[in-house]
Amino acid sequence: MRPVADPPDRSSDNPGDHAGAIEIDGRSLSRADLDAAAAALAERIAGAPAVAVRATASLETVVAVLAGLVAGVPVVPLPPDAGPRERDHILGDSGATLLLDPDPDPDPEHGAARWNGVAAEIVRIDVDARSSARFAVPPPDAIALILYTSGTTGAPKGVLVPHTAIAADVDALADAWAWTSEDVLVHGLPLFHVHGLVLGVLGALRTGSRLVHTGRPTPTRYAQAAAEAGGTLFFGVPTVWGRIAEDPDSARALAGARLLVSGSAPLPVPVFERLAELTGHRPVERYGMTETLITVSTRADGERVPGTVGVPVAGVATRLVDDHGRPVPHDGTSVGELQVSGRTLSDGYLNRPDADSASFTADGWFRTGDVATIAPDGTHRIVGRASTDLIKSGGYRIGAGEVEGALLAHPGVREAAVIGAPHADLGQEVVAYVVADAGVEAAELTDFVAGTLSVHKRPRRVVLMTELPRNAMGKVQKTLLG
């Protein structure tokens, strides 16, 4: 297997010199210097059971992650703003014995960090160090990353992502998006999630495309990267794209791009349409999870329909099942739980056989916990989470995403989140939380939805809010509603 971060036009025996291969917030490294800096750090960490990286948006993070891949040491990305409790859990649970830090502040006496009673050495990441050392290519099934993901309950779980899954996923997306070394990738995403790290860094390294990371993902910085760096491929989350859609000058600056990709949360239809109007590009949407990487995507050469996420990428299969595990028809309207199988799946959870058992079926399919519809042509529409977005009301199965889409079609609605709330007679009632312009009334929105969808899908309650609770990736936190 070709090493995860090696582009297709060079072997590991010929590093080459892709000048300006990585630029982050104005600082850059050529590909040759990046490889040499990673090799120098790999010499220091080789043999460790795992290394944690304080994953700031920096060249240091890229060097550290590449060093782990080269040395065959699992890398544990640590959110740079993690609080003490989250940090201590991740570091203690992962078994990392080294903490790689761009700007370390170690114990002045011992030069070590201590968490959960275990001391670990802090290692400074030096992007100016150089080495020509070579390392054996890790086995394909070796663990490359341990990514921590939070569920609705309990502490975050470590997801074991092997080298082969990353390679398969990036290659599949390169095929879907016609992504090559000729592209210039632009984004400003965090470097401790699948979107920003696996796609946004390792994807660029493997395809050989130049990466320009904007630091902060502001409309002005995206526009500047388009003008100055010749950006062709832009990644963003809906929050980023929404802000760009509200800044016509910045949006129009992206007209020369080749592809705009949105992910990590559903892209509101009005934002999709506004981007298409201003940039001339209909965004590509894709779907995935930490446990599966990116499994479904609109293709660059395919139809881009707002509210849909395309078809399974190469090497991935999907299916829908009902509450009893029976197949749900792919008719574009029937809702079921989405299950995934294929080469991009993780190896499960670190030291959590209980979570593995709950998440994987007996025949090896991953239970995403998301509900979806699949059209006869294979196009997927994600309705939402089964736990919060599949509403069972009066014998009907209602997808929250469909109702949210109907609300967002109202010209006065800016944001909407729909949940099912307990109801003595119906089991659950449809409740909508809406951010709307002044003068928009709740009853007006209820009637508006009833005029576009089946009457049983109308919100029985509409709660007007000034903003919806969101996490760092822009996803609405529905557990905080109600």
Side-chain angles (χ1 to χ4, degrees):
M1 181 191 75
R2 175 163 55 94
V4 166
D6 270 9
D9 58 349
R10 81 176 174 92
S11 71
S12 57
D13 294 327
N14 182 23
D17 185 8
H18 298 264
I22 299 288
E23 178 182 327
I24 300 183
D25 205 12
R27 301 167 63 211
S28 63
L29 276 178
S30 70
R31 182 60 202 249
D33 285 344
L34 172 63
D35 287 344
L41 184 56
E43 288 185 291
R44 300 183 64 186
I45 66 175
V51 295
V53 177
R54 193 167 72 85
T56 60
S58 64
L59 290 175
E60 283 80 4
T61 294
V62 177
V63 168
V65 172
L66 184 55
L69 296 179
V70 168
V73 177
V75 175
V76 185
L78 182 68
D81 60 350
R85 184 173 181 176
E86 178 185 9
R87 178 200 64 210
D88 290 355
H89 167 72
I90 292 175
L91 295 175
D93 184 71
S94 68
T97 56
L98 301 174
L99 173 59
L100 312 185
D101 198 327
D103 186 24
D105 183 20
D107 181 305
E109 293 184 10
H110 305 291
R114 182 175 294 275
W115 53 83
N116 290 352
V118 178
E121 180 185 356
I122 295 179
V123 176
R124 179 177 174 271
I125 305 166
D126 183 1
V127 300
D128 295 321
R130 300 289 183 267
S131 172
S132 59
R134 300 296 176 86
F135 298 82
V137 176
D141 59 353
I143 300 304
L145 301 173
I146 305 176
L147 300 175
Y148 276 78
T149 183
S150 297
T152 55
T153 60
K157 301 185 292 290
V159 178
L160 301 168
V161 183
H163 286 250
T164 185
I166 296 173
D169 201 46
V170 171
D171 290 349
L173 292 173
D175 170 67
W177 299 340
W179 185 3
T180 73
S181 59
E182 300 300 313
D183 279 304
V184 177
L185 172 61
V186 177
H187 71 86
L189 301 168
L191 301 189
F192 50 88
H193 289 300
V194 168
H195 198 167
L197 178 58
V198 176
L199 274 63
V201 172
L202 302 184
L205 295 179
R206 185 168 177 83
T207 61
S209 60
R210 180 184 174 197
L211 168 62
V212 177
H213 191 287
T214 61
R216 296 178 56 229
T218 66
T220 301
R221 292 191 178 194
Y222 272 49
Q224 183 178 5
E228 297 180 0
T232 63
L233 182 61
F234 287 76
F235 290 172
V237 297
T239 300
V240 172
W241 292 125
R243 290 171 181 167
I244 290 174
E246 293 175 351
D247 185 338
D249 289 341
S250 293
R252 292 189 185 101
L254 304 185
R258 186 178 65 79
L259 213 61
L260 311 182
V261 180
S262 181
S264 296
L267 183 67
V269 172
V271 175
F272 181 107
E273 294 175 341
R274 182 64 170 158
L275 284 172
E277 174 189 348
L278 292 170
T279 68
H281 297 288
R282 297 173 69 81
V284 160
E285 295 191 66
R286 88 300 182 280
Y287 165 82
M289 303 179 67
T290 304
E291 293 90 341
T292 65
L293 304 184
I294 306 306
T295 52
V296 180
S297 178
T298 307
R299 293 183 60 87
D301 58 0
E303 186 178 6
R304 305 172 200 175
V305 179
T308 66
V309 292
V311 298
V313 301
V316 170
T318 61
R319 68 186 183 188
L320 295 179
V321 299
D322 65 15
D323 294 343
H324 303 286
R326 297 174 300 209
V328 171
H330 295 185
D331 56 15
T333 59
S334 298
V335 175
E337 183 198 10
L338 182 64
Q339 297 184 351
V340 177
S341 177
R343 296 181 296 171
T344 70
L345 266 61
S346 71
D347 283 356
Y349 300 100
L350 177 64
N351 299 324
R352 290 293 303 274
D354 57 329
D356 289 343
S357 178
S359 298
F360 289 88
T361 65
D363 55 350
W365 291 67
F366 182 78
R367 300 182 175 102
T368 68
D370 285 324
V371 288
T373 65
I374 302 178
D377 67 357
T379 298
H380 289 53
R381 184 185 300 273
I382 306 301
V383 175
R385 296 296 293 169
S387 57
T388 57
D389 295 316
L390 180 59
I391 303 168
K392 300 175 182 178
S393 181
Y396 294 102
R397 292 161 61 92
I398 303 167
E402 184 180 18
V403 183
E404 290 164 358
L407 285 164
L408 288 167
H410 187 287
V413 172
R414 289 181 283 133
E415 298 180 80
V418 171
I419 66 170
H423 189 277
D425 179 42
L426 299 172
Q428 289 182 306
E429 65 174 349
V430 179
V431 180
Y433 293 82
V434 176
V435 178
D437 295 338
V440 175
E441 297 183 354
E444 172 188 353
L445 297 179
T446 296
D447 293 341
F448 182 80
V449 173
T452 59
L453 301 179
S454 301
V455 173
H456 68 265
K457 297 178 180 179
R458 73 189 187 283
R460 289 179 171 264
R461 284 194 290 132
V462 174
V463 181
L464 297 174
M465 306 180 71
T466 56
E467 63 179 9
L468 299 178
R470 296 181 181 272
N471 64 15
M473 295 300 291
K475 294 182 180 180
V476 175
Q477 296 181 288
K478 290 192 175 182
T479 55
L480 301 180
L481 299 172

